[in-house]
Amino acid sequence: MSEIVVLSGSPSEFSRSEQVLKYLGTLLKQEYFSVTHISIKDVPAEEVFQGKFDSPTIQDITALIQNAKGVIVGSPVYKGAYSGVLKALLDILPQDVLKHKPVLPLMTGGSPSHLLAIEYALKPVLATLKGHNLKGLYLLDSQIDKLQENPIIDTDILQRTKKQLQYFIEIVNRQASAVFFT
């Protein structure tokens, strides 16, 4: 069972958002969480685009997310929103797949003008899936060097990212202890 699921909505093999998500997974592992990284590019396209919600792959993804203590969902900005392939996957997951889960949304984009995409595009769909959205993270492409182990090269953004990840960890731990003591 995975404690944290990191879901990458980037169809690109070596995207900035994917590298940042992998880095966050590394930081979570350092805090003794088990992390499962799910990338949309590894999900069979025919299962997603034909809406095969009952396929073994989609059922496995559903179970991983439902059994997780927290979820991080990330995507690059495409046309002012998250990726269409991420939307296609989210559409075939159960409508309450994120129920009672803290969710940390993350987006990367080429300009500050896409900053609100996280608020008006990604967060609403995650809320529809019953996730408890935390304040999201938006990183500019210029703040990321995808060739480095730590891809976040802007020190202020790195500090903000670590602070938001720490808050996510606190929420996950708080919910886990609340369930343990009830």
Side-chain angles (χ1 to χ4, degrees), residues 48-92:
V48 174
F49 294 113
Q50 293 175 10
K52 295 186 176 181
F53 63 89
D54 56 351
S55 77
T57 303
I58 302 302
Q59 292 297 308
D60 287 347
I61 291 170
T62 298
L64 282 169
I65 292 171
Q66 288 176 331
N67 292 323
K69 293 181 181 174
V71 179
I72 299 175
V73 179
S75 174
V77 174
Y78 288 136
K79 309 284 190 224
Y82 52 92
S83 70
V85 290
L86 177 60
K87 173 72 167 131
L89 175 62
L90 294 175
D91 281 349
I92 60 174

Side-chain angles (χ1 to χ4, degrees), residues 4-77:
I4 305 295
V5 168
V6 177
L7 178 60
S8 173
S10 177
S12 176
E13 187 66 33
F14 196 63
S15 75
R16 287 174 182 83
S17 61
E18 179 94 9
Q19 298 313 309
V20 171
L21 290 168
K22 286 180 180 178
Y23 176 65
L24 294 181
T26 299
L27 294 177
L28 287 165
K29 288 176 185 176
Q30 292 172 359
E31 296 290 327
Y32 306 104
F33 284 95
S34 62
V35 177
T36 300
H37 187 90
I38 301 169
S39 177
I40 188 63
K41 67 184 178 308
D42 298 328
V43 181
E46 65 277 359
E47 292 182 15
V48 174
F49 294 113
Q50 293 175 10
K52 295 186 176 181
F53 63 89
D54 56 351
S55 77
T57 303
I58 302 302
Q59 292 297 308
D60 287 347
I61 291 170
T62 298
L64 282 169
I65 292 171
Q66 288 176 331
N67 292 323
K69 293 181 181 174
V71 179
I72 299 175
V73 179
S75 174
V77 174

Side-chain angles (χ1 to χ4, degrees), residues 41-182:
K41 67 184 178 308
D42 298 328
V43 181
E46 65 277 359
E47 292 182 15
V48 174
F49 294 113
Q50 293 175 10
K52 295 186 176 181
F53 63 89
D54 56 351
S55 77
T57 303
I58 302 302
Q59 292 297 308
D60 287 347
I61 291 170
T62 298
L64 282 169
I65 292 171
Q66 288 176 331
N67 292 323
K69 293 181 181 174
V71 179
I72 299 175
V73 179
S75 174
V77 174
Y78 288 136
K79 309 284 190 224
Y82 52 92
S83 70
V85 290
L86 177 60
K87 173 72 167 131
L89 175 62
L90 294 175
D91 281 349
I92 60 174
L93 296 177
Q95 72 182 41
D96 63 350
V97 71
L98 296 172
K99 187 174 183 181
H100 303 304
K101 305 261 181 280
V103 179
L104 178 59
L106 177 141
M107 293 186 85
T108 60
S111 82
S113 64
H114 294 296
L115 171 66
L116 291 178
I118 201 166
E119 295 297 328
Y120 68 75
L122 187 56
K123 281 185 172 183
V125 76
L126 299 175
T128 299
L129 296 170
K130 309 293 188 261
H132 295 282
N133 283 313
L134 303 181
K135 181 179 178 186
L137 292 167
Y138 181 80
L139 292 89
L140 294 171
D141 291 347
S142 62
Q143 298 166 330
I144 302 166
D145 180 349
K146 58 186 178 180
L147 300 176
Q148 294 187 33
E149 186 176 329
N150 168 6
I152 305 170
I153 57 175
D154 182 290
T155 54
D156 291 336
I157 298 303
L158 178 61
Q159 287 307 102
R160 186 171 57 95
T161 300
K162 286 183 173 182
K163 183 177 180 180
Q164 192 61 24
L165 186 65
Q166 189 58 46
Y167 181 66
F168 173 76
I169 290 169
E170 290 172 16
I171 298 294
V172 167
N173 286 336
R174 193 176 315 138
Q175 282 194 346
S177 64
V179 169
F180 183 73
F181 290 112
T182 57

